[in-house]
Amino acid sequence: MNATVAVILVLAVGTYAFRLVGPALHGRVELPDRVQELLSAAAVVLLVALLATGALTEGGGFAGWARPAGVLVGGVLAWRRAPFPVVVLGAAGAAALLRAAGLA
Amino acid sequence: MMAPLVRDSALVWLASGVVGVSFGAISVAGGLPVWVPVAMSLIVYAGSAQFSAVGVLLAGGGPLAAAATGLLLNTRTAAFSLAVADVLGGRSRLARFLGAHLVTDETVAFTLAQPDPVRRRAAFWVNGLGLFAAWNIGVLAGALAGTALGDTARYGLDAAFPAVLVALVLPTLRTDARIRRCALLGAALALAVTPAVPAGVPVLLALAGLVRYGRKEGAA
């Protein structure tokens, strides 16, 4: 259990340090526009990579068909500008229905 | 000004609450005690890193790999906190320290979508404080219900988190072709290396996709 406590504390302290970067640097360091642009692009690139790996993989392998199919339903709903909860519940519902129908 | 902010935020809160329930339920169903997801949600407060760290723990990956994975994923919050630094600045030290803890993907996306500085500041605090409450209540509820829920895959909750991200990034991907190119290359790279490298690394390697960013609109 001590190891779990250590994981939580290291994660908490490290994450908070990352979050302080903005407030700590604000007003002291002027970032060039080019760098700011790249920072916001980097944020989106990270999020898309996170969603792609999260939708398709599990423990280094393929996550099965139900999850990516569910995410795809969520994606279509988002594309059609459905409200946020509809997107999320649509994705979960579709994955659940496919699993209930026997698809892994 | 507040009513529409609360109305729009409520959708984000609801979605995150649902994801929080799944986090609590998955953690407890996997064999972790209730306090682990609850404490993690209060003091780490970063959904994807929490999922990854718990995923590594439950897969037997060891504490070092779990912490490293979560931290790798959270390096992006440094970029996010820079993006909203003006909203957090100019107030008391306490407000800045408190506000920093509320920097999440969802709150930053919501804040940056506001048209002027006053609304951005209000949006950050309304959305951020509500999200913190919704996430933690959701996790607690999921953790308490965890064993009763049984196999959470049955509810398709594993598809919820990627769907949240889709909804958040889609507006940017629609309108910005440069970021779209980078993101597609990055995601392809991340997927390609996933079977070969430790968890957390694929997402960071995706940053290599930024080579396609180019210098000027339409130049690449």
Side-chain angles (χ1 to χ4, degrees):
Chain A
M1 203 50 67
N2 283 335
T4 308
V5 175
V7 169
I8 295 176
L9 287 180
V10 167
L11 255 185
V13 171
T15 302
Y16 191 63
F18 288 135
R19 285 178 165 143
L20 275 182
V21 167
L25 290 186
H26 186 63
R28 287 177 206 174
V29 181
E30 211 46 61
L31 291 172
D33 286 352
R34 170 78 182 157
V35 174
Q36 293 203 353
E37 243 183 76
L38 270 173
L39 274 175
S40 59
V44 178
V45 169
L46 287 171
L47 292 174
V48 173
L50 208 53
L51 89 81
T53 52
L56 291 167
T57 69
E58 173 78 54
F62 182 50
W65 293 104
R67 189 195 300 175
V71 175
L72 187 65
V73 168
V76 170
L77 287 168
W79 183 259
R80 307 197 61 174
R81 302 182 201 277
F84 213 66
V86 174
V87 172
V88 175
L89 295 174
L97 281 177
L98 287 171
R99 286 203 179 105
L103 193 71
Chain B
M1 181 176 83
M2 291 312 251
L5 278 181
V6 170
R7 193 189 54 221
D8 291 350
S9 287
L11 302 177
V12 182
W13 299 335
L14 179 65
S16 288
V18 171
V19 179
V21 169
S22 82
F23 174 72
I26 287 167
S27 305
V28 172
L32 293 170
V34 169
W35 66 265
V36 169
V38 171
M40 210 184 231
S41 299
L42 284 168
I43 69 170
V44 177
Y45 186 50
S48 58
Q50 290 180 224
F51 271 106
S52 306
V54 162
V56 173
L57 279 179
L58 294 181
L64 198 67
T69 304
L71 284 178
L72 281 174
L73 282 174
N74 282 346
T75 48
R76 71 174 188 280
T77 55
F80 288 147
S81 80
L82 279 167
V84 295
D86 63 316
V87 172
L88 287 169
R91 286 290 166 94
S92 70
R93 192 176 281 264
L94 180 68
R96 284 205 299 275
F97 283 145
L98 262 179
H101 193 53
L102 300 180
V103 172
T104 62
D105 308 347
E106 293 90 343
T107 298
V108 168
F110 191 79
T111 301
L112 295 181
Q114 305 302 317
D116 62 78
V118 176
R119 286 182 69 100
R120 273 158 55 101
R121 187 177 291 267
F124 178 83
W125 288 102
V126 168
N127 187 268
L129 288 170
L131 193 71
F132 186 79
W135 173 255
N136 282 289
I137 291 168
V139 170
L140 179 64
L144 292 176
T147 42
L149 285 173
D151 180 15
T152 52
R154 202 151 34 104
Y155 307 99
L157 291 177
D158 55 322
F161 177 61
V164 166
L165 290 179
V166 171
L168 283 173
V169 298
L170 205 53
T172 306
L173 294 181
R174 268 184 137 129
T175 53
D176 194 323
R178 299 165 84 194
I179 294 182
R180 190 164 60 229
R181 280 196 303 270
C182 300
L184 289 178
L185 176 61
L189 281 172
L191 287 172
V193 300
T194 292
V197 299
V201 175
V203 170
L204 283 182
L205 286 179
L207 287 175
L210 287 171
V211 298
R212 295 205 65 190
Y213 196 58
R215 285 213 73 87
K216 288 239 161 56
E217 188 67 74

